[in-house]
Amino acid sequence: MNIIFLGAPGAGKGTQAEVVAKAKNIPAISTGNIIREALANGTDMGKKAKSYMDAGQLVPDEVVIGIIKDRLAEPDCANGFILDGFPRTIPQAEALDAMGVVIDKVIEIDVSDEDIVKRMSGRRVCRKCGVTYHIDYKKPLVEGKCDTCGNELSIRPDDAPETVLDRLTVYHELTKPLRGYYAEQGKLITIEGQDKVADTTALTLKAVE
Ligand code: AMP
């Protein structure tokens, strides 16, 4: 099954994408994580993306479309995949269609802007393995440490409050139109983000049965 997760930054789509990936044994592909990795490795693409990312803006379509094209060609995508954070614009969705990629379901995690701002301020991330935590909603086993690798958790630079507002503006202008795009194709399933991650997960798993 090929699934897209849609939602505002911080809506919890990354967490849900990981759960579904495990349940279905297919890869969860996060363009944000791929870009952060490129940045950490000092690649040209990473350097090019940094200024956009730090400002809460989207990286140019042609860059992310190239990333996804390469990633979907890898053998682990043969039995299905989950896209987390791609597409984020109509031209990106059109590029997927042009590649001949058939999407089965688009799961939108819907969270109000007010809640997004609250959630983002508590978000912590492991820079080493990319796992995301929250100081209230998804606590690590040991405060400030990654459950998977024990690395120190940190705040993503683009989770700073003023950047979050910019990212929300970008979301409303450029990404939200994708709801209509996929609703027209009969693929959109909207899930209300719940206060407890486990409750959202239960709804998500039902939606992808
Ligand atoms: P994320 O971790 O998905 O919130 O992505 C972090 C940042 O990476 C975004 O704010 C963008 O700057 C960039 N990014 C990730 N995915 C995309 C995409 N599909 N299109 C454009 N920029 C992206």
Side-chain angles (χ1 to χ4, degrees):
M1 193 183 270
N2 301 334
I3 304 167
I4 288 172
F5 273 87
L6 269 188
K13 57 187 186 316
T15 302
Q16 298 305 322
E18 290 294 340
V19 170
V20 175
K22 260 192 204 140
K24 296 206 172 279
N25 200 21
I26 52 177
I29 300 166
S30 154
T31 36
N33 282 351
I34 294 174
I35 296 168
R36 278 185 287 277
E37 214 171 282
L39 196 59
N41 292 332
T43 69
D44 283 349
M45 187 270 278
K47 284 181 201 154
K48 210 167 140 193
K50 184 177 168 28
S51 56
Y52 296 99
M53 215 166 169
D54 287 353
Q57 299 298 312
L58 294 185
V59 172
D61 284 337
E62 64 272 17
V63 176
V64 276
I65 290 167
I67 291 173
I68 282 294
K69 215 176 208 170
D70 290 348
R71 183 64 187 87
L72 294 183
E74 287 182 29
D76 64 337
C77 294
N79 296 323
F81 53 81
I82 294 167
L83 295 179
D84 160 22
F86 185 98
R88 258 177 156 106
T89 64
I90 296 280
Q92 290 179 21
E94 288 170 347
L96 263 187
D97 290 344
M99 283 177 223
V101 173
V102 177
I103 298 299
D104 299 295
K105 288 186 179 183
V106 178
I107 311 289
E108 180 199 27
I109 312 286
D110 192 24
V111 174
S112 72
D113 284 4
E114 202 188 331
D115 284 345
I116 290 288
V117 174
K118 267 192 234 154
R119 285 177 184 213
M120 302 283 254
S121 61
R123 188 150 82 161
R124 301 290 180 270
V125 67
C126 172
R127 280 182 204 270
K128 204 165 161 197
C129 60
V131 178
T132 302
Y133 299 86
H134 193 282
I135 55 171
D136 297 317
Y137 308 120
K138 193 184 168 212
K139 294 181 186 180
L141 297 172
V142 178
E143 200 185 318
K145 303 259 187 229
C146 177
D147 293 352
T148 312
C149 69
N151 206 41
E152 204 74 33
L153 300 179
S154 55
I155 300 175
R156 267 172 48 174
D158 56 344
D159 279 351
E162 58 287 2
T163 314
V164 168
L165 294 179
D166 289 341
R167 291 169 72 194
L168 274 174
T169 305
V170 168
Y171 170 72
H172 286 290
E173 274 176 17
L174 298 174
T175 307
K176 247 187 163 173
L178 289 172
R179 292 163 107 184
Y181 186 88
Y182 288 115
E184 243 170 51
Q185 296 182 10
K187 292 176 181 166
L188 184 74
I189 302 171
T190 297
I191 290 174
E192 292 292 324
Q194 307 291 307
D195 286 343
K196 287 192 182 140
V197 175
D199 293 341
T200 308
T201 299
L203 295 172
T204 305
L205 288 173
K206 204 152 180 242
V208 298
E209 262 171 11

